[in-house]
Amino acid sequence: MPENSFKNNLPWTEAHEAFCYQHHIPPAAKTLWQWLMMQGQIASEIEPDLSEFNAWVAKVRGKSYAHNYLKKIFDILVSCRVLQVIKQYSWKITKLLVRPLSWLNPPKKRREKKLHNRDSSYNSPPSNDISAEQGLNSSSNSITPTTAEFEELERQHEILTACAEYQIYFDPNKRTTRHLFEFDISDVRLALKHFVKRGGDQSIRDSQAWLIGCLRECYWQDETFGLSGFIETLKSWFPSNLPRDY
């Protein structure tokens, strides 16, 4: 399916974007959700093949997802109730239905009607339950994130997911995780590959601290810095205009 026609025919709205933001759905899982929406009618049974999705991703993205990661993003959509699995044939072929957004959002609670006496109906203070309900429905909880905020959240999700592929799990709510978000995803992937070369979690005790240190010091560059690189660096580092009597 061409990318342009995919975007034009996609029944995707700002409410879907907000749902992804609220439930921390990473970009890859969102793309899978969008692709599944185009495989049949919403809320009707379909039998998609994830290998076909991966082939489509390879054409659009230039690189397909690893099978383990593909399973993870599928499970994310299931855990968020976006997908309802009816029958699992294999890891890549499943009978399922894509739930409409109206099924995903919780129904609004109806306030219980209470009978009051005429003398007390206007004098009684609001109950704690009503106050709590008003707090939940306040404008602070319904603010739609800006495009820049959503893109930054997607970037952070991509970094966290890349680390999770190597069994390095960062808590996004901790302040120390902010150090991880200071780096680009390309550098994070280089650091993760170097993490494997150094023996992974079997050789490195504190994987999170090591990874951030690796990103700050670019440990992976040490491997490529051999004798020839050392000599070239000395040439450029040492001043060329030396005095005659040196």
Side-chain angles (χ1 to χ4, degrees):
M1 180 185 300
E3 184 179 4
N4 292 335
S5 61
F6 173 80
K7 291 181 179 180
N8 294 335
N9 298 327
L10 186 65
W12 191 263
T13 64
E14 292 183 359
H16 289 87
E17 294 286 351
F19 184 88
C20 292
Y21 176 83
Q22 293 167 2
H23 293 81
H24 309 292
I25 296 177
K30 183 179 76 171
T31 302
L32 176 58
W33 183 4
Q34 294 172 336
W35 184 82
L36 290 171
M37 291 173 69
M38 300 300 299
Q39 304 310 305
Q41 293 184 354
I42 304 298
S44 62
E45 293 185 5
I46 57 175
E47 294 185 5
D49 187 341
L50 294 185
S51 61
E52 295 180 359
F53 167 73
N54 226 7
W56 176 82
V57 168
K59 292 181 180 179
V60 176
R61 179 172 172 258
K63 182 181 179 182
S64 60
Y65 295 124
H67 289 173
N68 289 338
Y69 185 56
L70 194 55
K71 294 177 187 177
K72 286 181 181 179
I73 62 175
F74 181 85
D75 292 338
I76 288 173
L77 295 179
V78 174
S79 63
C80 292
R81 298 175 52 252
V82 171
L83 305 180
Q84 179 181 343
V85 177
I86 299 172
K87 189 173 182 180
Q88 188 88 35
Y89 300 107
S90 65
W91 73 267
K92 61 180 180 179
I93 301 178
T94 311
K95 178 185 288 187
L96 54 82
L97 59 84
V98 181
R99 288 189 171 102
L101 199 61
S102 59
W103 293 12
L104 303 178
N105 295 324
K108 295 181 179 180
K109 294 182 180 180
R110 295 181 179 179
R111 296 183 180 181
E112 295 181 0
K113 295 182 179 180
K114 296 182 180 180
L115 297 176
H116 300 282
N117 295 328
R118 291 183 179 180
D119 296 335
S120 61
S121 59
Y122 297 100
N123 297 327
S124 59
S127 66
N128 294 333
D129 295 338
I130 296 176
S131 300
E133 184 180 354
Q134 291 174 347
L136 290 173
N137 295 328
S138 62
S139 59
S140 61
N141 291 330
S142 59
I143 296 176
T144 303
T146 64
T147 302
E149 290 173 341
F150 192 80
E151 288 178 352
E152 173 59 20
L153 187 65
E154 283 188 320
R155 189 186 72 86
Q156 295 177 7
H157 271 297
E158 188 175 2
I159 291 174
L160 293 173
T161 306
C163 294
E165 291 182 40
Y166 293 81
Q167 286 74 52
I168 305 178
Y169 304 102
F170 285 89
D171 184 351
N173 297 315
K174 285 188 176 181
R175 289 191 297 174
T176 54
T177 307
R178 296 177 186 173
H179 300 304
L180 179 68
F181 297 147
E182 295 174 0
F183 302 94
D184 294 333
I185 182 62
S186 57
D187 289 336
V188 173
R189 295 193 183 281
L190 287 172
L192 290 169
K193 290 180 180 179
H194 191 64
F195 172 75
V196 175
K197 291 181 180 180
R198 290 292 303 271
D201 54 4
Q202 295 181 355
S203 302
I204 299 172
R205 181 174 298 179
D206 190 346
S207 302
Q208 294 182 357
W210 183 93
L211 185 65
I212 293 177
C214 178
L215 286 164
R216 286 174 174 170
E217 302 297 331
C218 300
Y219 292 163
W220 63 87
Q221 292 183 353
D222 296 341
E223 284 191 352
T224 58
F225 191 73
L227 178 60
S228 60
F230 174 71
I231 295 174
E232 291 297 325
T233 302
L234 280 183
K235 288 180 180 179
S236 60
W237 172 76
F238 211 75
S240 58
N241 53 343
L242 293 174
R244 288 184 175 182
D245 56 348
Y246 181 78

